[in-house]
Amino acid sequence: SEFIQLQHKETPMEFLVAEEGIPQSIGCEGATIAYYGSEIEFHYETVPPHGDDIFSAKLPLLNIQLPFWIYGRNLIFLDAYYLLAETVEKGTWDPITSMLINIHTGKYASLDHWYNNISVKEKEIELKNDYDGKSMILKNVDGLKWV
């Protein structure tokens, strides 16, 4: 009998170049997003009952797997370093927490709430939750608790 080698085919992923302050969404197959000399890879994990795909994320240049999952919607890149994303604990889809991720170092800081309405201004970012009215203004990242 003849030995047949099966080729494992990777699902094609989108390759996107992010623009600062412009919300980015990724499709269900996943994506690699390049931003200011760094990259972040998104791999499809699940879709919750209310829709919107959830992904695991990796910083391939640093070989760091982020310890939480990220919704593939409303991804906003800020400055030359940061990704603002809606995150959940691995294996869950609730509660959602907004997280700032430094894609050059792999450090991240929770904003301790979910902000679904983001407005990028010249010197600050206005974050608001349209469901409970909670809001915050982010002027710099120094006061955040980085992990």
Side-chain angles (χ1 to χ4, degrees), residues 54-147:
I54 297 177
F55 300 84
S56 56
K58 182 178 182 179
L59 302 169
L61 304 178
L62 301 172
N63 200 23
I64 292 176
Q65 182 78 36
L66 294 174
F68 44 80
W69 285 353
I70 298 177
Y71 273 89
R73 63 178 183 225
N74 211 14
L75 300 165
I76 301 176
F77 289 83
L78 305 162
D79 263 1
Y81 306 98
Y82 304 106
L83 166 60
L84 180 60
E86 299 174 358
T87 68
V88 290
E89 281 185 34
K90 283 184 176 182
T92 69
W93 56 73
D94 208 22
I96 302 170
T97 304
S98 294
M99 188 87 67
L100 204 57
I101 304 155
N102 183 326
I103 63 170
H104 293 276
T105 65
K107 292 185 189 269
Y108 52 91
S110 171
L111 300 183
D112 297 324
H113 199 70
W114 174 40
Y115 299 102
N116 64 316
N117 187 333
I118 314 295
S119 187
V120 179
K121 308 264 200 266
E122 196 176 318
K123 298 243 188 270
E124 64 187 32
I125 301 154
E126 267 180 37
L127 303 115
K128 187 170 184 228
N129 180 306
D130 289 335
Y131 304 102
D132 67 10
K134 188 170 166 94
S135 65
M136 88 179 266
I137 305 263
L138 189 62
K139 291 184 190 233
N140 66 51
V141 298
D142 302 333
L144 298 175
K145 200 164 46 178
W146 291 94
V147 179

